[in-house]
Amino acid sequence: ALCDEMNKSDNFILGAERMLELSGKSREHLSRSLKKYTGFTVSDYINNLRIKFIANMLINSNYSVADIVFESGFNNLSWASRLFKQTYGCTMSQYRSGK
């Protein structure tokens, strides 16, 4: 379904607008349905996918942290860093180095 489609490719980088486009539903319908079935808001769901992408890229690439963050679709390095630390309990640099 839609959540699988957002996971399959880099659609999460394009954010909520791409999710709306893929769903073919109104913003309100998508928001209510996603919250009902996943427990996440649209923003939280997309941010979660982006954080997982960042974690994967930190381990499997040599790109800079900033490049990875901006490639993931985040526009704010500070915000992405805060979400990453909330999710993984460490900074992106610590995660990359395995500490």
Side-chain angles (χ1 to χ4, degrees), residues 40-58:
F40 292 108
T41 65
V42 172
S43 295
D44 289 342
Y45 185 79
I46 291 170
N47 285 341
N48 189 35
L49 292 176
R50 288 175 175 172
I51 293 298
K52 287 178 182 179
F53 172 85
I54 290 169
N56 182 51
M57 291 296 289
L58 288 169

Side-chain angles (χ1 to χ4, degrees), residues 28-96:
E28 295 77 17
H29 181 82
L30 176 62
S31 295
R32 277 192 312 273
S33 295
L34 192 65
K35 182 75 172 176
K36 178 180 177 181
Y37 293 110
T38 69
F40 292 108
T41 65
V42 172
S43 295
D44 289 342
Y45 185 79
I46 291 170
N47 285 341
N48 189 35
L49 292 176
R50 288 175 175 172
I51 293 298
K52 287 178 182 179
F53 172 85
I54 290 169
N56 182 51
M57 291 296 289
L58 288 169
I59 298 300
N60 296 303
S61 79
N62 292 320
Y63 294 111
S64 73
V65 169
D67 286 345
I68 292 170
V69 167
F70 293 120
E71 184 66 27
S72 75
F74 281 109
N75 296 321
N76 184 309
L77 181 59
S78 175
W79 176 241
S81 296
R82 195 170 320 143
L83 290 177
F84 190 92
K85 190 163 188 173
Q86 285 175 356
T87 303
Y88 290 100
C90 61
T91 66
M92 290 183 236
S93 296
Q94 290 169 331
Y95 187 87
R96 176 174 259 174

